[in-house]
């Protein structure tokens, strides 16, 4: 496979690229919206791609929304997206447990209501969501009663994360047969006003440290999240384009799955980041170099409208 | 030479070998959990060993990563469990040493955001270090609407059984300022309780904060050298005259190696002989730092030596 060249996508190259693919997969945050603001022109790009006969999917590491919630968010922001076009990690983790791990048993869940719903939708029982505060003595914590039906610990975004939850997860994972799955490894989300929100990667790492073993992570750059879409819709990776704003998740996913990759500069990664990977010569970094880049996905409009 | 990683004995010793060691060393540094006691139960013979060493005129110190009590509570525990000659000045906990670091090394000007219990907070207060004291356990506050304290110049992560997402989020915000120090009392991933049960350690919480911030914590506790430097700043320690006695290869033995001390593993705690031998036989040079010079089944193996020395 040719080494990705990080070429500016412009002029006739745009049509050439679009003609070579049947399917376009978009990351959401930093690509089609930023927080609650749609990227100008993004909704039109999606409409026109569909009018041009392309299939469009949305692939996000966020585990806090069900597919239904995503479809609703997209509708209010002016995007034409159906529930079955959106692949968030709440849904994909439930699918991973069901179809890949073939889980028979309950999940000890560190997560949120979206994950709860997606698990229930595929018939997987779980231990619930919400606060879990410490009580009693250290001996009580170490001897906390374990549900014998729990066969997997699943960690996603949980703003009720606590020491007690970390403890329970660790106790379950001391059984080497208990499976350990994380929705994604994203580290943090910046907020307005200089604040920052820790992301799921923090909680996964805390549990990995206590349990002294790694989680199986479903979200980008793990190929599973692409397999989730591809197996359902019979996609051919070579005829797919992955559009994202993060080199270490979106572009790396594309490389891992043999997709064409397009970096947009409306989000986290910069052109300098991509070029640094390109110059590095290191195999682990070269896979994060996109085939193409645009300033914004609105740059695709002229080719789509023409 | 002590601490040289070229070859570590990893030998079980007894009888005359222990007598020789007791004669050769003036400074004995003991870890506590798994070495002197298990929870609230002293290990058989351990109080007599410690009391005898002190009465023989040896310098005895206690070096523990456990930051859940202030030193004055530790003195009470020592007394309660029969270690009647131990005084506060001999006790070096990771919380006490964190306070010393903030006051004397970092010379922090501003407030410290502490994630930890009274064991840590009290030591900082006693050292005169201002800590953020607001009501951060209020359950309806979120990171989106909570106010951030101004002038936070350090974040100290300790063991916190009341750890919450909000505390993690607040600490992450303070650490966005590269001038704000990032300290951790210790990196232990888990701690043993009785009957083979374990609990998550501060290392898990520190790891979460490192991921959130993209920064690495400065770790005060073993195996970092800092606690040895704390003792050295108060007492005339010579590394060649020290023996570090502990139960955990990755903290106590590595600490000893890092400080150039002879090390002794006691088998009453976390690490087993097989693990020590595995490090010894490993091809990786750096694994030698986990290997003890000497091994005993229990520190009570010192007792016959005192009969001879008295």
């Amino acid at each position: 496979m040719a080494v990705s060249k990080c070429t500016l996508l412009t002029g006739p190259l745009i049509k050439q690229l679009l003609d070579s693919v049947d399917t376009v997969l978009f990351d959401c945050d930093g690509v089609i919206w930023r927080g609650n603001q749609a990227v100008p022109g993004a909704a039109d790009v999606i409409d026109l791609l569909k009018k041009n006969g392309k299939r469009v999917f949305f692939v996000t590491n966020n585990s806090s929304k069900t597919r239904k919630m995503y479809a609703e968010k997209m509708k209010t922001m002016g995007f034409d997206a159906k529930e079955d076009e959106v692949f968030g990690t709440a849904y994909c983790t439930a699918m991973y447990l069901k179809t890949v791990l073939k889980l028979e048993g309950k999940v000890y869940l560190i997560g949120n209501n979206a994950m709860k719903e997606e698990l229930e939708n595929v018939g997987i029982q779980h231990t619930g969501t919400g606060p879990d505060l410490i009580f009693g003595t250290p001996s009580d914590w170490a001897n906390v009663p374990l549900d014998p039906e729990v066969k997997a610990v699943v960690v996603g975004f949980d703003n009720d994360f606590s020491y007690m939850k970390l403890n329970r997860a660790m106790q379950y994972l001391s059984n080497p047969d208990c499976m350990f799955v994380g929705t994604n490894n994203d580290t943090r989300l910046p907020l307005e006003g200089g604040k920052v929100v820790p992301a799921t990667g923090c909680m996964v790492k805390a549990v990995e440290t206590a349990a002294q073993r790694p989680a199986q992570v479903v979200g980008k750059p793990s190929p599973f999240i692409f397999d989730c879409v591809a197996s359902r819709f019979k996609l051919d990776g070579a005829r797919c384009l992955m559009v994202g704003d993060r080199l270490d998740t979106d572009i790396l996913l594309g490389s891992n799955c043999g997709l064409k990759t397009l970096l947009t500069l409306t989000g986290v990664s910069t052109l300098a980041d991509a070029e640094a990977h390109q110059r590095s010569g290191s195999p682990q970094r070269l896979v994060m170099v996109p085939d193409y880049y645009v300033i914004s996905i609105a740059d695709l409009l002229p080719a789509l409208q023409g | 030479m002590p601490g040289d990683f070229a070859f570590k004995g990893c030998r079980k010793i007894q009888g005359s070998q222990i007598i020789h060691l007791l004669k050769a060393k003036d400074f004995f540094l003991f870890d506590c959990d798994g070495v002197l006691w298990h929870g609230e139960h002293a290990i058989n013979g351990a109080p007599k060993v410690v009391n005898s060493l002190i009465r023989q005129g040896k310098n005895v110190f206690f070096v523990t990563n456990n930051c859940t009590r202030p030193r004055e509570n530790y003195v009470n525990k020592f007394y309660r469990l029969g270690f009647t000659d131990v005084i506060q000045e001999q006790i070096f906990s990771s919380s006490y040493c964190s306070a010393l670091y903030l006051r004397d090394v970092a010379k922090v000007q501003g407030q410290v955001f502490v994630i930890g219990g009274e064991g840590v907070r009290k030591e900082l207060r006693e050292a005169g270090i201002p800590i953020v004291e607001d009501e951060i356990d209020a359950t309806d506050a979120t990171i989106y609407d909570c106010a951030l304290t101004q002038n936070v110049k350090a974040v100290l992560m300790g063991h916190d059984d009341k750890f919450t997402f909000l505390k993690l989020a607040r600490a992450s915000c303070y650490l966005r300022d590269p001038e704000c120090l990032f300290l951790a009392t210790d990196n232990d991933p888990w701690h043993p309780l009785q009957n083979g049960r374990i609990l998550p350690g501060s290392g898990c919480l520190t790891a979460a904060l490192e991921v959130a911030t993209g920064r690495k914590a400065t770790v005060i506790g073993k195996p970092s050298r800092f606690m040895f430097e704390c003792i050295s700043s108060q007492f005339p320690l010579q590394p060649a005259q020290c023996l570090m006695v502990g139960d955990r290869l990755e903290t106590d033995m590595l600490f000893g190696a890092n400080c150039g001390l002879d090390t002794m593993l006691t088998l009453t705690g976390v690490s087993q002989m097989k693990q020590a031998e595995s490090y010894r036989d490993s091809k990786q040079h750096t694994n030698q730092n986990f290997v003890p010079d000497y091994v005993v089944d229990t520190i009570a193996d010192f007792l016959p030596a005192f009969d001879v020395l008295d």
Side-chain angles (χ1 to χ4, degrees):
Chain A
M1 190 195 284
V3 172
S4 303
K5 296 221 173 57
C6 197
T7 308
L8 173 64
L9 191 71
T10 188
L13 263 183
I14 305 182
K15 188 164 190 306
Q16 204 179 313
L17 175 63
L18 292 177
D19 286 345
S20 74
V21 300
D22 303 319
T23 304
V24 184
L25 302 112
F26 287 96
D27 174 39
C28 298
D29 204 43
V31 180
I32 63 174
W33 63 55
R34 277 182 285 213
N36 285 321
Q37 293 263 322
V39 164
D44 291 332
V45 169
I46 288 159
D47 280 345
L48 287 169
L49 281 168
K50 288 183 176 180
K51 283 204 175 82
N52 275 312
K54 308 295 181 196
R55 283 198 295 190
V56 174
F57 299 103
F58 304 91
V59 179
T60 172
N61 273 359
N62 190 310
S63 65
S64 304
K65 289 187 167 53
T66 59
R67 291 190 303 160
K68 193 164 175 199
M69 292 169 186
Y70 265 117
E72 280 162 12
K73 172 170 179 165
M74 295 179 92
K75 197 167 164 194
T76 46
M77 293 185 72
F79 292 99
D80 162 32
K82 297 182 192 46
E83 202 177 308
D84 65 356
E85 291 170 344
V86 185
F87 290 79
T89 54
Y91 170 71
C92 293
T93 299
M95 289 306 291
Y96 183 76
L97 290 164
K98 194 80 182 171
T99 65
V100 177
L101 297 185
K102 301 197 188 347
L103 178 72
E104 285 174 17
K106 250 174 161 175
V107 160
Y108 174 69
L109 180 61
I110 294 179
N112 53 67
N113 287 332
M115 292 175 72
K116 188 171 169 231
E117 216 180 293
E118 296 287 20
L119 285 170
E120 288 167 8
N121 284 347
V122 297
I124 294 177
Q125 285 192 298
H126 57 80
T127 55
T129 56
D132 185 5
L133 299 177
I134 210 81
F135 63 89
T137 65
S139 180
D140 295 330
W141 315 335
N143 289 289
V144 72
L146 299 181
D147 183 334
E149 291 184 54
V150 165
K151 298 282 187 274
V153 168
V154 175
V155 181
F157 187 77
D158 184 358
N159 59 15
D160 289 314
F161 186 72
S162 65
Y163 181 83
M164 189 50 136
K165 291 192 176 197
L166 171 63
N167 175 50
R168 285 192 212 266
M170 187 189 76
Q171 303 303 343
Y172 280 116
L173 290 169
S174 65
N175 175 352
D177 294 331
C178 183
M179 295 184 276
F180 182 16
V181 177
T183 55
N184 63 297
N185 265 336
D186 295 41
T187 58
R188 73 194 79 96
L189 290 169
L191 284 187
E192 304 299 325
K195 284 186 175 167
V196 66
V197 180
T200 307
C202 304
M203 288 161 269
V204 172
K205 187 74 181 197
V207 179
E208 287 181 329
T209 305
Q212 298 275 282
R213 57 165 151 138
Q216 299 178 59
V217 178
V218 170
K220 299 173 283 183
S222 156
F224 178 72
I225 199 168
F226 175 71
D227 292 341
C228 209
V229 191
S231 57
R232 172 71 63 81
F233 290 97
K234 311 232 179 336
L235 302 183
D236 171 10
R239 301 225 20 119
C240 291
L241 175 65
M242 175 73 210
V243 184
D245 70 308
R246 284 191 74 130
L247 299 172
D248 61 348
T249 50
D250 306 315
I251 304 305
L252 185 51
L253 173 74
S255 297
N256 285 342
C257 301
L259 319 179
K260 298 183 171 57
T261 53
L262 173 60
L263 174 71
T264 170
L265 299 178
T266 42
V268 170
S269 298
T270 65
L271 183 58
D273 295 332
E275 289 173 340
H277 286 321
Q278 198 173 17
R279 281 193 308 269
S280 74
S282 137
Q284 292 119 308
R285 293 181 67 179
L286 287 174
V287 284
M288 293 195 276
V289 178
D291 293 313
Y292 302 100
Y293 74 94
V294 285
I295 311 297
S296 150
I297 60 168
D299 297 347
L300 302 175
L301 281 173
L304 288 167
Q305 286 158 339
Chain B
M1 179 183 154
D4 187 332
F5 68 67
F7 178 69
K8 292 275 191 138
C10 196
R11 296 174 290 140
K12 244 195 215 177
I13 61 169
Q14 53 198 10
S16 60
Q17 296 161 318
I18 295 189
I19 293 172
H20 179 77
L21 197 55
L22 290 182
K23 282 187 182 164
K25 302 295 183 187
D26 290 326
F27 298 91
F28 291 80
L29 283 63
F30 287 97
D31 175 40
C32 301
D33 298 313
V35 177
L36 307 179
W37 55 59
H38 291 133
E40 282 294 310
H41 302 283
I43 283 165
N44 277 340
K48 194 161 181 212
V49 168
V50 169
N51 294 339
S52 301
L53 282 170
I54 295 172
R55 284 181 203 146
Q56 291 239 327
K58 299 294 183 185
N59 299 286
V60 177
F61 300 101
F62 305 95
V63 188
T64 175
N65 277 0
N66 189 319
C67 60
T68 59
R69 329 160 174 258
R71 291 192 305 159
E72 58 194 56
N73 285 29
Y74 266 119
V75 175
N76 294 338
K77 177 167 183 173
F78 273 104
Y79 196 85
R80 208 164 54 236
L81 267 55
F83 302 84
T84 48
D85 295 345
V86 173
I87 57 174
Q88 185 165 309
E89 285 70 16
Q90 294 169 287
I91 303 171
F92 289 80
S93 63
S94 59
S95 32
Y96 170 60
C97 293
S98 296
L100 293 183
Y101 185 95
L102 285 163
R103 189 190 66 193
D104 302 335
V105 177
K107 298 191 177 42
V108 68
Q109 301 289 327
Q111 295 193 73
V112 178
F113 181 72
V114 177
I115 297 181
E118 273 306 293
V120 183
R121 293 170 180 277
K122 196 149 187 211
E123 295 288 6
L124 263 60
R125 280 188 213 112
E126 268 175 33
I129 294 163
I131 60 181
V132 175
E133 297 268 26
D134 56 3
E135 203 29 73
I136 58 176
D137 293 333
T139 46
D140 50 4
T142 72
I143 188 59
Y144 305 96
D145 56 29
C146 75
L148 291 180
T149 308
Q150 296 302 306
N151 201 32
V152 170
K153 287 302 181 201
V155 169
L156 173 60
M157 176 69 87
H159 188 272
D160 190 1
D161 45 72
K162 296 189 177 59
F163 184 78
T164 59
F165 180 80
L166 181 58
K167 292 185 185 186
L168 176 66
R170 288 182 62 150
S172 308
C173 293
Y174 294 129
L175 287 168
R176 290 196 83 202
D177 174 4
E179 308 258 310
C180 180
L181 297 176
F182 181 8
L183 301 187
T185 54
D186 68 277
N187 251 344
D188 297 348
W190 51 267
H191 299 288
L193 284 194
Q194 288 94 315
N195 306 323
R197 315 246 60 167
I198 61 174
L199 283 176
S202 322
C204 307
L205 310 182
T206 304
L209 188 51
E210 286 181 335
V211 171
T213 58
R215 294 176 59 170
K216 278 250 158 267
T218 297
V219 179
I220 301 298
K222 300 172 285 182
S224 149
R225 285 181 51 98
F226 186 68
M227 292 219 280
F228 183 74
E229 285 163 18
C230 278
I231 309 175
S232 300
S233 71
Q234 298 179 17
F235 298 93
L237 250 61
Q238 295 298 321
Q241 289 164 353
C242 293
L243 180 69
M244 172 67 205
V245 183
D247 71 312
R248 201 160 187 170
L249 300 172
E250 296 84 6
T251 45
D252 303 313
M253 302 304 114
L254 183 55
F255 172 72
N258 287 341
C259 303
L261 318 178
D262 276 352
T263 52
M264 175 181 281
L265 175 70
T266 169
L267 298 176
T268 45
V270 170
S271 298
Q272 297 310 308
M273 192 67 173
K274 253 207 299 206
Q275 292 158 329
E277 288 168 341
S278 171
Y279 280 127
R280 181 197 60 196
D281 300 336
S282 136
K283 300 264 188 301
Q284 223 181 305
H285 255 333
T286 48
N287 282 345
Q288 293 307 310
N289 291 331
F290 299 119
V291 180
D293 290 297
Y294 312 106
V295 181
V296 291
D297 287 315
T298 155
I299 64 168
D301 289 352
F302 286 22
L303 289 173
F306 292 119
D307 295 333
V308 173
L309 291 170
D310 275 343

